[in-house]
Amino acid sequence: DSAGIAHEINQPLSAIRHYARNGERLIKAQRIEEAEGNLHQISSLTMRAITIIKRLKSLAKDDQQNLISIELSNVVNSALEVLIGDKLLTEKELSINYHQDQNIVRVDPIQLEQVIINLLTNAMDSVVATTEKKIQIECKDSQDYVLIYVRDNGCGISSDIQERIFDPFFTTKTRGQSLGLGLSISYNIIQNFAGKLSIERSDAFGTSFCIQLPKVFSKMK
């Protein structure tokens, strides 16, 4: 819906605002080389916002034309760059664990990035009332698949809601909260990559989502 779309565009814009403010501070301090780095990030995030706008129309469609073989860590790092505007790295304990040197998958990088952002945004909302806010990204090798876990130590999801969590238009969030893509669209996107999105676990100790993607053994397009 319109609120979800607005949130998707707002994420890179928030990051752009962060880099712009930081760049201004660096220029005043005559740290020109570091300021140029911030300008580079602004340019990159602007292009990402443009790409997101172009892709949003086809997020839930079975569109294979943008699939490429890519190293998973590149997608995760891009997602974290977008979320810097949400202060993810400074206000919450974030851990990232890659069990393999390479985790190559065939995906649309922008779409997978948006799914990871959605799961991380949900995790951030879940840990709001938690004293020690912890979020974990873990990537495991499992025979012909790469498994990506996004875990938090938040309030968990009740069993009755778990059964509906991937239904179209279903949300537990109120107006004004970050809506992200919605888990239904995220589910369809991962399906289009011949993968699966599921809840691995959710209880009073937190929630763990799992993205399962076919492994690629060559980085050829």
Side-chain angles (χ1 to χ4, degrees), residues 119-135:
L119 295 179
L120 287 171
T121 301
N122 287 341
M124 287 191 287
D125 290 341
S126 180
V127 300
V128 165
T130 307
T131 303
E132 295 182 8
K133 307 178 196 310
K134 296 182 180 180
I135 297 173

Side-chain angles (χ1 to χ4, degrees), residues 3 7 11 86 118 121-122 125 171 173-174 176-180:
H7 179 66
Q11 286 171 328
D86 287 304
N118 187 49
T121 301
N122 287 341
D125 290 341
T171 180
K173 298 180 181 181
T174 57
Q177 280 189 288
S178 56
L179 297 178

Side-chain angles (χ1 to χ4, degrees), residues 133-177:
K133 307 178 196 310
K134 296 182 180 180
I135 297 173
Q136 179 189 46
I137 302 172
E138 183 176 17
C139 301
K140 286 184 176 181
D141 182 273
S142 177
Q143 295 183 339
D144 294 331
Y145 292 91
V146 174
L147 305 179
I148 311 157
Y149 295 96
V150 178
R151 302 187 176 106
D152 65 67
N153 66 335
C155 56
I157 304 169
S158 63
S159 56
D160 59 323
I161 291 178
Q162 287 183 42
E163 296 176 359
R164 305 164 58 198
I165 202 79
F166 296 114
D167 291 350
F169 309 114
F170 179 79
T171 180
T172 60
K173 298 180 181 181
T174 57
R175 185 175 297 276
Q177 280 189 288

Side-chain angles (χ1 to χ4, degrees), residues 199-213:
I199 299 178
E200 179 207 24
R201 174 189 60 81
S202 187
D203 50 36
F205 300 100
T207 300
S208 175
F209 281 92
C210 179
I211 302 171
Q212 177 180 298
L213 293 171

Side-chain angles (χ1 to χ4, degrees), residues 52-189:
I52 289 169
I53 291 169
K54 289 179 179 178
R55 300 278 178 85
L56 273 170
K57 293 180 180 178
S58 62
L59 277 176
K61 296 179 182 178
D62 186 8
D63 186 358
Q64 303 291 315
Q65 65 180 356
N66 295 311
L67 302 192
I68 63 170
S69 297
I70 189 169
E71 167 58 43
L72 183 60
S73 62
N74 293 340
V75 182
V76 173
N77 290 338
S78 292
L80 293 176
E81 284 179 11
V82 173
L83 283 172
I84 194 169
D86 287 304
K87 300 181 180 178
L88 174 68
L89 302 180
T90 57
E91 293 187 353
K92 298 165 183 69
E93 181 182 325
L94 174 69
S95 62
I96 306 173
N97 190 354
Y98 298 103
H99 290 263
Q100 299 287 116
D101 290 336
Q102 280 195 323
N103 295 282
I104 300 174
V105 291
R106 186 168 179 80
V107 297
D108 179 325
I110 294 294
Q111 289 190 355
L112 180 58
E113 177 186 312
Q114 294 303 110
V115 172
I116 293 172
I117 288 172
N118 187 49
L119 295 179
L120 287 171
T121 301
N122 287 341
M124 287 191 287
D125 290 341
S126 180
V127 300
V128 165
T130 307
T131 303
E132 295 182 8
K133 307 178 196 310
K134 296 182 180 180
I135 297 173
Q136 179 189 46
I137 302 172
E138 183 176 17
C139 301
K140 286 184 176 181
D141 182 273
S142 177
Q143 295 183 339
D144 294 331
Y145 292 91
V146 174
L147 305 179
I148 311 157
Y149 295 96
V150 178
R151 302 187 176 106
D152 65 67
N153 66 335
C155 56
I157 304 169
S158 63
S159 56
D160 59 323
I161 291 178
Q162 287 183 42
E163 296 176 359
R164 305 164 58 198
I165 202 79
F166 296 114
D167 291 350
F169 309 114
F170 179 79
T171 180
T172 60
K173 298 180 181 181
T174 57
R175 185 175 297 276
Q177 280 189 288
S178 56
L179 297 178
L181 286 175
L183 288 170
S184 173
I185 296 178
S186 295
Y187 183 90
N188 289 338
I189 288 171

